[in-house]
Amino acid sequence: MVSTRRPGHVRSTLTGPDFLGPPGRRSARLTRPLVTAAAAALAAPLVLAAPASAGSGDNLGADLRGARPGAESVGDRLFPTLGNGGYDALHYDLGMTYQAATRTVEATTTMTAVATQNLSRFSLDFDGNTITSVRLDGGPVAFARHDEKLVITPARPIRAGTPLRLAVAYHADPRSTAFTCVVPPPATPSAWVPIDSGFVDAGQPNCEHTVFPSNDHPSDKATYTFRLTVPQGTTAVANGRLVSTFDGPDRTTTTSVYREDAPMASELTQIVVGDFTVAQVPGAAGVALRNVVSTASAAQIEPVLTQEAEQVAWMVDRAGPYPFGVYGELVPDGIDNLGFALETQTLSLFPSGFIKSNRNPVRVQRVLVHELAHQWFGDSVAPATWSDIWLNEGHATWYEDNWADPDGSNLLSQMHDAYAASDRMRAADGPVALPDTAEVMFDNNSYDGGALVLYALRQEVGDATFARIERAWQARFHGRDAGTADFIALSSAVAGRDLRGFLTPWLYSRSTPAMPGHPDWTVLPVQPAAAPSVAAAAHPARAAR
Ligand SMILES: [Zn+2]
């Protein structure tokens, strides 16, 4: 995610995720961290527990009287209620019928999963919407809702290793405000983003379960099928490849089926309905490209997207093969208040006002590259926990910075500025790999602070080794989730030496270590209360740009 309204580096610590809008803290309704800063400073990088073995599935003598409920959390310190245990989601089939007259959706989400423990009951994340039926393996099943959980109690316990198929039918109103979940920044009351002709989807990091019931944490990726039925003449697009399109029996509707066969975190789901033009554009580096733009603005939007193929080829050169079957840019009218761009998998989201105005062409291209870079860093390799958000935003910022500065002439001063601001960012938000709260996870500390860590690593190991680390990260973890400890271990393995002593303070300390190669660099003193604009303090000219 990245801001689309601010001019750019060094971003204010008050801006949000890939934030395009006015500065502002995200909602205080976001959850607080479970651990104190002191405890966190002592803690090893947090890694979610692996699912329990499903190996007892063949043990016919196992006593299911010992079956227990699946956990109603995966234990993420920034979002302690998010995610669920006891099963592994494998595939979601999302059927949605959009009714233009009421601007509402009739939906059925079918989750295919496998039990990872003997289960007496299990839960999904689901918030808002009106459930009309829940069926388990084809039959009715008892369910209950509390907070943002949908709790399923099967008539008989489910043995570990057993596949299960849960179908939830529900009615949704994308314009509803009756949700508990808060998507930061709180420009919309849910992941549904209504537009005049339909809706788009923006659920990062914690609210995609306002659109469909899911195990809504990036540590449980799944594949997806989307079956989107819309009035004839309306366009429907989702993540992945278009598989088929067919008319309804009365020829008033069209159904489009999309599949995303690469594992995807729920927060990266994109479902688009409305007046859009799907433009196939020439690909690059073997990557098929299709952009989805508001039809009314296509003539203004498409000329701004013409560097896309070049940018894809540039990223492939640096990060390795593109991890998915297709890429594209989704540019809707009517969402400019959203204020951010978002790296939804295979189809990144950009508000049309930001693209069309093109007031700062370099800034616009940076944001396009930022979301493209996330396809490798954040999507293909998802964060193991939300405390690892710097792995997403630090890398996306790093590639955005490098794209905008092909000869490297500005990178040095940019990193110098970020270094100067670093202690203040850490004082305001916590260590780079251990944000104090969910409210600060999309502050500058994850973006410029994360990119600064990558610069420090490159200074330490050299350009060639750094380039090998970046490509090895993708080769090792594509299609999976990975955390900060994984990054430190992989960097050490590629560099051929133990980098824990170097990277740990860069990632887990509140004070900024010395920058290799720049012994003269100093940090600005931490002020009693963090100033609203670190950028202005660090580099007035840059902030005013
Ligand atoms: Zn981002």
Side-chain angles (χ1 to χ4, degrees):
M1 198 184 268
V2 84
S3 164
T4 48
R5 283 202 196 126
R6 288 187 54 81
H9 300 264
V10 172
R11 297 178 189 84
S12 160
T13 55
L14 298 186
T15 59
D18 297 9
F19 189 69
L20 315 183
R25 290 277 175 190
R26 57 195 89 271
S27 169
R29 290 165 65 193
L30 288 171
T31 49
R32 311 292 302 178
L34 287 177
V35 296
T36 65
L42 296 171
L46 295 175
V47 177
L48 295 177
S53 167
S56 60
D58 294 330
N59 182 358
L60 300 178
D63 186 355
L64 280 173
R65 286 176 300 182
R68 63 188 198 287
E72 291 189 6
S73 165
V74 294
D76 192 295
R77 59 181 279 277
L78 294 185
F79 297 101
T81 64
L82 201 61
N84 308 274
Y87 64 89
D88 177 12
L90 304 175
H91 186 78
Y92 295 95
D93 185 305
L94 273 62
M96 291 190 174
T97 299
Y98 178 69
Q99 293 168 330
T102 56
R103 298 172 67 179
T104 57
V105 174
E106 299 303 323
T108 299
T109 293
T110 303
M111 179 185 77
T112 305
V114 60
T116 55
Q117 67 178 60
N118 291 339
L119 276 175
S120 59
R121 66 169 193 258
F122 63 97
S123 57
L124 291 81
D125 301 296
F126 195 42
D127 181 29
N129 308 301
T130 304
I131 292 178
T132 52
S133 81
V134 180
R135 300 177 74 83
L136 180 63
D137 298 328
V141 65
F143 70 94
R145 302 187 73 174
H146 71 83
D147 302 314
E148 295 173 36
K149 297 296 178 183
L150 169 62
V151 181
I152 308 299
T153 305
R156 298 172 58 190
I158 299 170
R159 189 182 301 279
T162 304
L164 60 91
R165 194 165 180 272
L166 184 78
V168 182
Y170 54 102
H171 170 82
D173 179 357
R175 293 180 296 168
S176 171
T177 58
F179 296 95
T180 303
C181 196
V182 175
V183 181
T188 63
S190 75
W192 298 101
V193 182
I195 59 176
D196 287 347
S197 56
F199 61 88
V200 298
D201 187 344
Q204 189 182 75
N206 63 317
C207 290
E208 189 57 34
H209 60 277
T210 58
V211 170
F212 68 101
S214 55
N215 195 15
D216 195 9
H217 192 272
S219 58
D220 191 6
K221 287 182 166 189
T223 55
Y224 286 73
T225 302
F226 303 87
R227 306 171 197 277
L228 308 177
T229 300
V230 297
Q232 282 206 344
T234 297
T235 299
V237 185
N239 311 88
R241 288 184 176 280
L242 178 63
V243 174
S244 64
T245 301
F246 52 90
D247 292 337
D250 58 1
R251 297 195 174 276
T252 62
T253 62
T254 302
T255 299
S256 300
V257 180
Y258 290 82
R259 276 192 64 92
E260 175 52 339
D261 293 322
M264 180 168 83
S266 49
E267 52 109 4
L268 300 171
T269 302
Q270 184 55 262
I271 304 167
V272 188
V273 167
D275 294 333
F276 288 92
T277 297
V278 181
Q280 308 291 336
V281 294
V287 182
L289 299 177
R290 52 89 180 85
N291 294 330
V292 182
V293 303
S294 274
T295 301
S297 298
Q300 297 161 272
I301 293 167
E302 287 175 350
V304 185
L305 309 182
T306 53
Q307 296 180 55
E308 186 178 16
E310 184 188 348
Q311 290 164 346
V312 168
W314 185 88
M315 273 305 303
V316 167
D317 277 349
R318 282 151 186 82
Y322 179 71
F324 307 119
V326 64
Y327 184 65
E329 289 158 349
L330 165 62
V331 190
D333 286 337
I335 64 162
D336 294 331
N337 285 340
L338 205 61
F340 60 84
L342 183 61
E343 64 271 23
T344 39
Q345 188 162 310
T346 72
L347 186 59
S348 295
L349 172 67
F350 305 88
S352 74
F354 173 69
I355 300 294
K356 285 192 293 186
S357 74
N358 207 18
R359 277 190 295 268
N360 182 342
V362 173
R363 172 70 181 138
V364 169
Q365 296 304 319
R366 289 182 75 116
V367 169
L368 292 168
V369 169
H370 181 107
E371 307 309 337
L372 172 65
H374 271 313
Q375 302 298 314
W376 286 260
F377 298 95
D379 293 9
S380 179
V381 185
T385 78
W386 281 118
S387 300
D388 298 311
I389 186 65
W390 81 275
L391 285 168
N392 295 20
E393 302 304 348
H395 279 102
T397 302
W398 174 257
Y399 288 104
E400 172 196 329
D401 288 347
N402 280 273
W403 166 267
D405 187 32
D407 64 3
S409 55
N410 292 325
L411 192 69
L412 190 64
S413 67
Q414 197 165 301
M415 292 299 150
H416 178 266
D417 292 351
Y419 188 87
S422 180
D423 269 14
R424 290 184 176 182
M425 292 193 287
R426 289 166 185 242
D429 298 341
V432 171
L434 209 60
D436 286 340
T437 66
E439 288 91 333
V440 303
M441 66 184 280
F442 292 111
D443 280 0
N444 272 346
N445 202 34
S446 300
Y447 291 73
D448 297 300
L452 186 69
V453 172
L454 296 175
Y455 178 74
L457 176 60
R458 195 181 76 170
Q459 288 289 101
E460 178 71 10
V461 302
D463 291 5
T465 299
F466 178 77
R468 290 210 315 276
I469 290 170
E470 293 290 276
R471 294 177 70 96
W473 180 247
Q474 295 300 319
R476 173 77 175 81
F477 293 108
H478 72 91
R480 301 169 54 186
D481 63 275
T484 301
D486 297 314
F487 187 79
I488 294 171
L490 183 96
S491 298
S492 299
V494 172
R497 64 188 177 97
D498 189 347
L499 288 166
R500 282 177 296 183
F502 176 76
L503 282 171
T504 299
W506 272 102
L507 290 163
Y508 288 103
S509 172
R510 283 186 183 269
S511 42
T512 309
M515 178 61 76
H518 299 292
D520 55 319
W521 284 14
T522 57
V523 294
L524 291 166
V526 175
Q527 296 161 331
S533 175
V534 167
H539 199 296
R542 182 183 303 279
R545 188 170 65 191

